[in-house]
Amino acid sequence: MASDTTPHPQGASTTGGTMGAGPGTHAGQSDREQLEAQIAKLREDVSGITDSLKQMATHRAEGARGQAYALRDDVKAQGERYLRQAQDAASDLEEQMSDRIRDEPIKSVLIAAAVGYLYARLFR
């Protein structure tokens, strides 16, 4: 099945006689036209494949973008819930401290003075 690339005497075809019976120029043009047609078909196929790959990449990128936005929204909502919980806990603690201070004012003043004294000693 090896092709013969050496010139043939008396105008014989280089295709081994499979494409045409005429002189080498007519068979050579036919082969060339067929080759050009095949190349054109390959170009069309490659173009189609390229378009398909672009569409797939675009579709996947849109899907990933949608997932990222959904994840962002979920994280944002969860962060807002945690913030509200922390604010509620701080508000409850503040209310409890206020109630304690009203119930035992002298004890509260002594505790505040002790904390202030320790703070001053540590950071002097």
Side-chain angles (χ1 to χ4, degrees):
M1 301 218 26
S3 65
D4 185 17
T5 58
T6 58
H8 295 285
Q10 302 167 349
S13 173
T14 58
T15 59
T18 59
M19 293 305 294
T25 56
H26 180 64
Q29 286 178 346
S30 177
D31 289 345
R32 183 177 195 141
E33 289 172 358
Q34 286 180 354
L35 182 60
E36 288 175 359
Q38 289 176 352
I39 289 173
K41 177 69 174 145
L42 284 174
R43 284 184 179 148
E44 289 175 18
D45 291 346
V46 169
S47 177
I49 291 170
T50 303
D51 290 341
S52 295
L53 288 174
K54 284 180 186 178
Q55 289 175 357
M56 287 173 57
T58 300
H59 179 70
R60 287 192 181 201
E62 289 172 358
R65 185 179 300 118
Q67 288 177 345
Y69 286 144
L71 181 62
R72 179 200 64 186
D73 293 342
D74 289 345
V75 169
K76 182 180 177 184
Q78 188 174 9
E80 289 173 351
R81 278 195 306 272
Y82 287 151
L83 179 62
R84 276 193 303 275
Q85 288 175 353
Q87 288 172 340
D88 290 344
S91 178
D92 290 344
L93 182 61
E94 180 183 357
E95 191 176 314
Q96 289 174 1
M97 293 287 286
S98 294
D99 290 343
R100 275 263 171 117
I101 290 171
R102 282 189 204 110
D103 291 343
E104 302 176 32
I106 294 174
K107 187 177 182 182
S108 300
V109 169
L110 291 175
I111 290 173
V115 169
Y117 177 76
L118 287 173
Y119 183 78
R121 295 288 289 173
L122 288 174
F123 296 105
R124 190 186 287 183

